[in-house]
Amino acid sequence: MSSRASSVPCDDNDDDFGDVFTAMDSSSPVHAPKHARDEDAEDEIDLPPNVETVTANGNTVGSGAPNPNVVQAMKRLAARKKLRTEQQDELKSFLQDTVTVRECKLFIAVMANHNAIDKIVVSQPSFKVSDELEKNINIYAVAILLSSKISSYKGNTATKHLMDIIKKYHFDLPPNIKCFPAAMGRVKACAQKALTQKRSKFKKLLAASVHETVRKGKLRRLPDNKCQHIFDLARSFVEGTECTISIPLCCRIAVMRKVYVKNMGSNLWDRLDASLASIHDKAAGNPKQLVKAFKFILESDQKTYGQADAEGNDGQDVLEDVDTFQEGVDNFIRAATMSAASSAQPDEESSEGTAGAATSGATLPS
């Protein structure tokens, strides 16, 4: 039996730091990294080209020597872009500037460009209605005035329909024209002029249909059997337009002639608007009653001025309904009228009973 004192068994995990101290005793002294520099040498660190630093008083300093390779590359690029000599000199100076100076120069250049663009926009010629736009305005002006759906020939109604069509189809209009009231005013003036010219033309055609010209331009009323037939009159209305002769169109022209003959052309369009309003009131908004009333007026015109035209045509080749072009205009006017009526409905509810009583006893010709 050994006389040496037995040692107390020890678990290796009892001393977690034993290996650490053993490693410390056998390791070499720690030396400073070779790349470390003294604090006193910080101001000797070279800055990258054109990189700024901020001093204690808030000023910025930086290296004024750009990378030579960058300078040469920019010079070649300036030559390819065909910069003028003074512009290339400005580029050389720009490359020597600090980042802050460059940003300021770029900002100033952007503002100068804005000023130049503003001068260009101001110096542009004012908007003029093009020939293409004027042509389309005249085409649709006729279609609107000859539509069986229009409720008023004067005032703002016809003009609004025409302007809405122009805005919808955007006939040769510049972008964002709605933002320029003066330009839109010129378009509206052209639309109003077209409607006025068409109304004047139609009135002269109505006069010629029941009159003959005597000396010094005076008109003399013709006997009914010598007056122009409705189909001949309709042909003169649509000549040179996109419209075609149809029963609904002849009905409207018959209404025009009836009002013209009754008043000998005096205040024709005002009286015609009043007559249309009366017909609509008596029909109480019933489409079938309206069609019936207009056809009755057409039949009365034919009885007065003849059943057949000068060529013996009694209307068999006349369209029963409007063509595709006129149908599109009619649908547009109908939708606009319905929209206006629905928006005005709340204001008219209070007078609905009175209006109904006024029209309940009205009758239309059968």
Side-chain angles (χ1 to χ4, degrees):
M1 186 175 184
S2 174
S3 60
R4 185 176 60 184
S6 62
S7 60
V8 179
C10 178
D11 192 351
D12 293 338
N13 295 329
D14 287 347
D15 188 0
D16 294 332
F17 299 98
D19 295 337
V20 175
F21 285 97
T22 303
M24 288 173 59
D25 294 337
S26 60
S27 63
S28 302
V30 178
H31 300 285
K34 292 182 179 180
H35 298 289
R37 295 190 177 185
D38 296 337
E39 292 183 359
D40 296 337
E42 280 188 1
D43 54 355
E44 299 177 1
I45 298 176
D46 294 332
L47 293 173
N50 295 61
V51 174
E52 295 179 345
T53 58
V54 181
T55 61
N57 59 4
N59 296 326
T60 57
V61 296
S63 173
N67 190 314
N69 294 332
V70 174
V71 173
Q72 294 302 320
M74 292 303 100
K75 286 182 178 179
R76 290 193 296 270
L77 179 60
R80 287 200 302 270
K81 297 298 182 180
K82 299 181 179 180
L83 265 63
R84 300 190 300 270
T85 302
E86 66 272 17
Q87 292 174 327
Q88 295 187 23
D89 292 339
E90 289 182 13
L91 172 63
K92 295 176 184 177
S93 174
F94 183 81
L95 292 173
Q96 299 291 335
D97 295 329
T98 62
V99 174
T100 299
V101 174
R102 289 181 185 177
E103 290 178 348
C104 291
K105 284 187 175 180
L106 289 174
F107 179 80
I108 293 171
V110 170
M111 293 296 100
N113 286 337
H114 279 303
N115 294 338
I117 292 172
D118 289 341
K119 289 182 180 179
I120 294 173
V121 173
V122 171
S123 63
Q124 285 181 345
S126 59
F127 169 78
K128 293 183 179 180
V129 176
S130 67
D131 293 340
E132 179 182 350
L133 175 56
E134 187 174 2
K135 180 180 179 180
N136 282 299
I137 287 175
N138 282 290
I139 289 173
Y140 280 91
V142 174
I144 288 172
L145 292 176
L146 295 182
S147 172
S148 62
K149 307 303 177 185
I150 192 171
S151 60
S152 176
Y153 291 95
K154 285 192 69 177
N156 191 48
T157 301
T159 303
K160 186 177 186 306
H161 289 322
L162 183 52
M163 288 298 295
D164 287 343
I165 290 176
I166 293 170
K167 293 174 185 176
K168 177 181 179 181
Y169 295 109
H170 217 265
F171 298 121
D172 199 30
L173 293 175
N176 301 324
I177 188 173
K178 295 179 181 179
C179 300
F180 302 95
M184 285 303 299
R186 294 187 184 94
V187 177
K188 185 176 181 179
C190 184
Q192 291 173 330
K193 179 182 177 181
L195 291 169
T196 300
Q197 289 177 340
K198 303 309 174 188
R199 284 193 295 262
S200 177
K201 176 186 175 182
F202 292 165
K203 184 176 180 179
K204 291 177 181 177
L205 292 175
L206 292 170
S209 71
V210 294
H211 291 95
E212 65 176 348
T213 303
V214 293
R215 63 183 183 277
K216 296 182 180 179
K218 291 185 178 180
L219 299 177
R220 181 171 61 191
R221 181 72 162 83
L222 290 169
D224 290 346
N225 61 350
K226 297 294 183 179
C227 293
Q228 193 174 24
H229 186 272
I230 189 65
F231 297 142
D232 285 335
L233 180 56
R235 288 190 187 93
S236 64
F237 266 69
V238 302
E239 184 179 2
T241 72
E242 298 293 324
C243 301
T244 55
I245 302 176
S246 64
I247 295 300
L249 182 141
C250 291
C251 288
R252 277 306 173 107
I253 296 177
V255 174
M256 292 180 188
R257 179 151 67 172
K258 180 179 177 65
V259 175
Y260 177 89
V261 170
K262 182 178 179 180
N263 302 280
M264 282 296 106
S266 176
N267 297 323
L268 171 63
W269 302 106
D270 291 321
R271 296 179 186 276
L272 185 56
D273 285 351
S275 298
L276 288 178
S278 176
I279 293 172
H280 279 270
D281 287 343
K282 292 177 180 179
N286 188 325
K288 292 183 179 180
Q289 288 286 71
L290 285 172
V291 172
K292 191 175 181 181
F294 286 122
K295 283 189 174 181
F296 178 86
I297 296 172
L298 174 60
E299 292 170 0
S300 298
D301 185 279
Q302 290 178 303
K303 289 178 182 179
T304 303
Y305 305 110
Q307 295 288 338
D309 60 15
E311 299 177 357
N313 182 9
D314 59 358
Q316 293 180 356
D317 61 340
V318 176
L319 297 175
E320 283 293 330
D321 207 348
V322 296
D323 60 8
T324 304
F325 170 73
Q326 187 66 56
E327 183 181 12
V329 176
D330 290 351
N331 290 338
F332 189 93
I333 294 175
R334 183 193 296 112
T337 303
M338 292 177 62
S339 176
S342 62
S343 62
Q345 185 100 19
D347 297 333
E348 297 176 354
E349 285 181 352
S350 59
S351 59
E352 183 178 354
T354 304
T359 58
S360 60
T363 58
L364 291 171
S366 58

